Amino acid sequence: MTRSAIRTGAALNNVSAGYARQVVLHEVSAVFPAGAVTALVGANGSGKSTALSVLAGIVRPAAGSVERPAGRAALVVQHDAVPALLPITVRETVEMGRWAGRPWRRRLSRHDRAVAERCLTRLGLDQIIGSRLSALSGGQRQRALVAQALAQETDLLLLDEPTAALDVPARETISRTLREVADSGVTVVHATHDLTEARAADHCVLLRQGRVLAEGPPETVLSQDNLLDAWH
Ligand SMILES: Nc1ncnc2c1ncn2[C@@H]1O[C@H](COP(=O)(O)OP(=O)(O)OP(=O)(O)O)[C@@H](O)[C@H]1O
């Protein structure tokens, strides 16, 4: 993606943010292009999840500003952060995506159900729609969570290590879906430790100890020197 082709989908402008006892992000500025997949890369604790939470509006910056599309963002947290014993089925999990931001107890429309159905199929979940979330493997659960996020039909899709510890087919299903969603105009941002995946992104933001070490095309951002810097 050339600089001139970049249309901003979301951006952090000089953002400092963190938690009660700790500032995690220090004056972070980064652009997340619309209609593109951005990989957020960095060592453990470098602030990737915190940056996603700031973009999602869950963590409020102590300083700086956040640009994002109007409406809610969909955030897919790491699947082991979701209580495995939630007594709901795969279908219910995905349909919950249609409840997001709506009045409580409003019935799902035919359109809502059709959208959920499409998302279930897209993530290859047709055979297990009636299964309890608690009965699924990590990869199946992750695909259900991605389908739930897609069902929200947002312009900003954020995912925290969506393919970590998944087998190759599950990883490919999710990566292909993220690509298709970005091609439809959505701003997709995923945190990843997988450099192959990061290199397949359109844009890359490399964090080191809560600061942006490099931003731009993956082939330049993920240079040997930058990677050494980021991990030391
Ligand atoms: N909810 C929270 N409350 C307090 N501190 C937190 C919280 N979430 C993260 N932190 C702290 O913020 C720092 C950055 O963590 P963060 O999860 O953003 O990094 P990360 O790059 O996503 O790490 P990883 O690759 O391990 O997932 C860490 O020191 C962590 O302990």
Side-chain angles (χ1 to χ4, degrees), residues 19 22 24 42-50 78 161 193:
Y19 308 94
Q22 191 187 359
V24 174
N44 289 134
S46 58
K48 302 181 296 298
S49 305
T50 304
Q78 294 178 23
E161 299 186 33
H193 285 282

Side-chain angles (χ1 to χ4, degrees), residues 144-200:
L145 295 176
V146 173
Q148 183 192 65
L150 290 193
Q152 295 177 47
E153 295 190 309
T154 58
D155 290 327
L156 179 58
L157 176 60
L158 309 165
L159 310 98
D160 202 350
E161 299 186 33
T163 61
L166 301 195
D167 65 15
V168 174
R171 214 160 53 213
E172 285 178 349
T173 300
I174 290 179
S175 300
R176 189 184 59 243
T177 305
L178 298 190
R179 168 60 51 205
E180 290 168 0
V181 170
D183 287 348
S184 75
V186 172
T187 303
V188 178
V189 185
H190 68 103
T192 182
H193 285 282
D194 182 329
L195 293 182
T196 306
E197 255 173 32
R199 288 197 169 96

Side-chain angles (χ1 to χ4, degrees), residues 8 14 25 31 40 44 50 71 95 111 118 132 143 166 168 203 207 216 220 222 228 232:
T8 300
N14 265 314
L25 300 178
V31 167
L40 202 48
N44 289 134
T50 304
E95 286 183 346
H111 173 69
R118 269 203 304 279
R132 292 275 180 115
R143 279 187 284 138
L166 301 195
V168 174
H203 190 71
L207 293 177
T220 36
L222 302 173
L228 276 172
H232 291 95

